[in-house]
Amino acid sequence: IDISNPASPQIIGSVDTPGDALGVTVVGDKAYVADKDSGLQVIDISNPSSPQIIGSVDTPGSDYGVTVVGDKAYVADRDRGFQVIDVSNPASPQIIGWADTPHYARGVAVVGDKAYVADEDSGLQVIDISNPTSPEIIGSLDTPGSAYSVTVVGDRAYVADENRGLQVIDISNPSRPWIIGSVDTPG
């Protein structure tokens, strides 16, 4: 979508993925799409008017969220937890590690050697990814609602917590995150 004129965005290209595209992150000329029951799709967007799927990997669950750092994609794979995927060869991504989360992984953010997973019925899960082939949950916090999405800035995680609004979580001690503020949004 061309947003050079924000008042009138224009679709300039598209590609139909095999599943339901639920999450996306872009790094360079690649888009990585969490494609629900069709896994992770890697899309070449170097020609925005003609994006092309160039690789994929079917994960064991349903992909809801994805973020990419370096040559690793980190996927919230709903009932199959958290998946680490090597995307160094975008034509042939490979699952290299996973961690089982308590319920339904929906969103993921990565900072340094930690992944922060919004796990629908169990809040925020903090995962050590220093060894990507063996990620390990090192902390968690059950939020009052249903965690759907997470963003991290500094030592704060911001969790979209469905019917309980926004939860602001201190993650300065990753093994003991705690809620420091919240706001109940109208929806």
Side-chain angles (χ1 to χ4, degrees):
I1 299 175
D2 181 347
I3 57 170
S4 58
N5 178 357
S8 181
Q10 301 292 317
I11 295 173
I12 58 172
S14 67
V15 62
D16 191 12
T17 60
D20 298 322
L22 298 178
V24 63
T25 193
V26 174
V27 177
D29 63 358
K30 306 287 185 295
Y32 300 84
V33 175
D35 206 34
K36 199 172 179 184
D37 296 329
S38 294
L40 178 71
Q41 304 296 315
V42 182
I43 300 171
D44 181 340
I45 56 171
S46 59
N47 178 355
S49 64
S50 183
Q52 301 291 319
I53 296 172
I54 59 169
S56 67
V57 61
D58 192 10
T59 58
S62 298
D63 292 11
Y64 273 69
V66 60
T67 193
V68 175
V69 177
D71 62 0
K72 306 288 186 296
Y74 302 93
V75 174
D77 201 29
R78 198 169 187 283
D79 57 331
R80 296 307 293 260
F82 170 75
Q83 305 289 323
V84 180
I85 300 172
D86 183 336
V87 292
S88 58
N89 178 356
S92 183
Q94 301 291 318
I95 297 170
I96 60 168
W98 70 281
D100 194 14
T101 59
H103 288 102
Y104 304 118
R106 293 250 186 194
V108 60
V110 172
V111 176
D113 63 357
K114 306 288 185 295
Y116 301 87
V117 175
D119 200 50
E120 183 178 335
D121 291 330
S122 62
L124 181 68
Q125 304 298 308
V126 182
I127 301 175
D128 181 342
I129 56 172
S130 57
N131 178 354
T133 62
S134 186
E136 178 182 355
I137 295 175
I138 59 168
S140 65
L141 174 69
D142 193 7
T143 56
S146 294
Y148 271 70
S149 181
V150 60
T151 295
V152 174
V153 178
D155 61 358
R156 304 282 188 265
Y158 300 86
V159 174
D161 209 27
E162 195 184 36
N163 63 345
R164 296 304 292 268
L166 176 70
Q167 304 297 318
V168 181
I169 300 169
D170 184 314
I171 54 171
S172 57
N173 179 352
S175 64
R176 293 188 170 274
W178 56 288
I179 295 173
I180 58 172
S182 65
V183 61
D184 193 8
T185 57

